[in-house]
Amino acid sequence: MILNIKNNKINKKNIIKKNKIFNYIIKNNEFIIKTFFIYVFIKKNCLLYPRIGLIIKKKYLKLSVKRNIIKRIIKEFFRKNKNLFYNFDLIFMLKNKINFYNKKEINKEINKIFKKIIYLKKIWNT
């Protein structure tokens, strides 16, 4: 099966940037997924496309290189699986300092999160 490259990229409409929307989703979320270092706030939206927001504070990761790597990993997982989240708003928020810094471990954690979100979506739609 050949994927359409234009359809598989993250557009501006898929990224949440406004503080009002962040605050609304965090306060009125329908589900929270908690892992070792990330909270994921999930809310259904009335749009026909998914949106993602990232909150990674400098307080928890001092180096911007590390913050950007985590952002890239999350965005890549979202980009590859965005067709599964057709009406969800997802906000990823770092909750504490990451003492370890290994891309493989971070990838595993984020992969677990996305598996939980997919499972949650299956339950939610039935």
Side-chain angles (χ1 to χ4, degrees):
M1 178 178 201
I2 299 172
L3 293 173
N4 187 355
I5 294 174
K6 288 183 180 178
N7 202 12
N8 202 21
K9 69 180 184 177
I10 297 179
N11 297 326
K12 287 183 181 180
K13 68 180 183 179
N14 294 116
I15 297 175
I16 300 170
K17 292 203 175 193
K18 294 187 178 180
N19 284 338
K20 287 181 184 179
I21 299 172
F22 273 103
N23 292 334
Y24 177 76
I25 293 170
I26 290 172
K27 288 179 184 173
N28 301 317
N29 63 60
E30 295 170 1
F31 288 101
I32 299 176
I33 295 175
K34 298 177 183 179
T35 64
F36 175 69
F37 66 97
I38 285 184
Y39 287 140
V40 182
F41 299 96
I42 302 170
K43 179 151 182 64
K44 277 191 174 181
N45 63 24
C46 57
L47 307 170
L48 297 176
Y49 52 87
R51 296 187 298 179
I52 187 171
L54 302 168
I55 302 172
I56 300 177
K57 295 180 181 180
K58 189 176 181 180
K59 175 172 131 179
Y60 298 135
L61 283 174
K62 297 291 183 194
L63 295 177
S64 63
V65 173
K66 292 181 180 182
R67 290 194 304 272
N68 290 334
I69 286 175
I70 291 175
K71 288 178 187 179
R72 274 190 232 117
I73 291 170
I74 293 171
K75 283 182 181 180
E76 184 65 17
F77 272 98
F78 179 76
R79 183 188 66 82
K80 287 181 180 177
N81 300 307
K82 80 176 186 179
N83 59 345
L84 299 173
F85 314 117
Y86 61 90
N87 63 346
F88 281 175
D89 287 336
L90 307 169
I91 293 186
F92 290 81
M93 185 170 79
L94 200 66
K95 69 177 183 178
N96 58 14
K97 291 184 180 181
I98 300 175
N99 294 330
F100 64 90
Y101 182 69
N102 186 352
K103 284 185 187 179
K104 289 182 182 179
E105 291 179 21
I106 293 172
N107 259 331
K108 282 182 187 178
E109 285 289 320
I110 293 172
N111 196 7
K112 286 179 190 176
I113 290 170
F114 275 99
K115 284 182 181 178
K116 287 180 183 178
I117 294 170
I118 291 169
Y119 178 72
L120 180 67
K121 181 190 162 279
K122 289 178 183 176
I123 291 173
W124 207 344
N125 287 337
T126 57

